[in-house]
């Protein structure tokens, strides 16, 4: 007799964990067909809601749609709020990266100008370079990131 079983969810042949969950998908290997169908419908509803939130749909409408599909209203609210928070974190991370890159370009331009000026001054005069393109690009990138920082919102 084999102790390996086929997971009804992910169709993988596995050795179940001690609590009879599949180590691949962490779902019960003893689930009934009705339970599997209910879980798949719930996952499809969540995927559709996540897509709608990603496309900018009103979170309250998405929450209401999940509730109409049979999900608990409180669960739907938590799920949509988590989606919104994840979206805000991603936008904030992108904006912060732009700010850091902008600051690096800006200060690199300042340093290049300073080193060029110091070299010309040390040699008793001459030509030096003002890295204005790098400085302006860095400042624009920094302020673009700053303007794209999202405000925290709770639904």
């Amino acid at each position: 007799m084999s102790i390996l079983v086929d997971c009804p969810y992910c169709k993988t042949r596995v050795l179940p964990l001690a609590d009879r969950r599949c180590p691949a998908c962490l779902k019960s290997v003893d689930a009934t067909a009705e339970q599997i169908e209910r879980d798949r419908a719930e996952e499809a509803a969540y995927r559709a809601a996540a897509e709608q939130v990603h496309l900018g749909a009103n979170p309250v409408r998405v929450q209401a749609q999940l509730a109409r599909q049979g999900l608990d209203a409180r669960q739907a609210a938590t799920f949509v709020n988590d989606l919104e928070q994840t979206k805000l974190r991603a936008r904030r991370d992108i904006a912060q990266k732009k700010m850091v890159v902008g600051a690096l370009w800006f200060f690199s331009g300042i340093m290049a100008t300073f080193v060029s000026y110091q070299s010309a001054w040390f040699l008793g005069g001459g030509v030096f370079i003002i890295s204005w393109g790098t400085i302006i690009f860095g400042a624009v990138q920094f302020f673009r990131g700053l303007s794209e920082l999202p405000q925290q919102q709770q639904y």
Side-chain angles (χ1 to χ4, degrees):
M1 182 172 157
S2 174
I3 55 175
L4 296 177
V5 297
D6 290 327
C7 175
Y9 286 95
C10 67
K11 307 294 186 215
T12 307
R13 191 157 185 80
V14 297
L15 176 63
L17 299 172
D19 59 356
R20 302 289 296 162
R21 288 185 303 139
C22 170
C25 66
L26 299 177
K27 296 188 178 174
S28 173
V29 295
D30 299 324
T32 64
E34 180 182 295
Q35 188 177 12
I36 293 168
E37 187 59 36
R38 187 174 56 243
D39 287 348
R40 286 190 177 147
E42 189 175 293
E43 287 175 16
Y46 282 140
R47 272 195 301 278
E51 182 67 23
Q52 288 178 358
V53 168
H54 175 70
L55 294 174
N58 184 336
V60 175
R61 286 187 181 169
V62 174
Q63 180 181 337
Q65 180 182 356
L66 283 172
R68 279 193 308 273
Q69 291 177 342
L71 289 136
D72 178 60
R74 192 168 166 183
Q75 264 186 316
T78 301
F79 180 72
V80 171
N81 189 43
D82 289 348
L83 282 174
E84 283 294 313
Q85 294 303 316
T86 301
K87 186 175 162 182
L88 284 172
R89 278 193 301 274
R91 288 178 54 207
R92 185 183 64 237
D93 290 347
I94 290 169
Q96 287 175 341
K97 285 179 185 177
K98 284 182 181 181
M99 291 172 63
V100 167
V101 167
L104 289 173
W105 277 101
F106 179 82
F107 288 114
S108 295
I110 296 291
M111 286 305 297
T113 301
F114 178 75
V115 167
S116 173
Y117 179 79
Q118 287 295 91
S119 295
W121 181 77
F122 182 71
L123 294 174
V127 178
F128 65 94
I129 298 171
I130 299 176
S131 300
W132 62 270
T134 307
I135 295 168
I136 291 174
F137 173 77
V140 167
Q141 191 73 1
F142 177 84
F143 287 111
R144 181 178 291 155
L146 185 63
S147 71
E148 292 175 5
L149 275 176
Q151 303 298 318
Q152 286 294 95
Q153 297 175 359
Q154 286 290 336
Y155 292 98

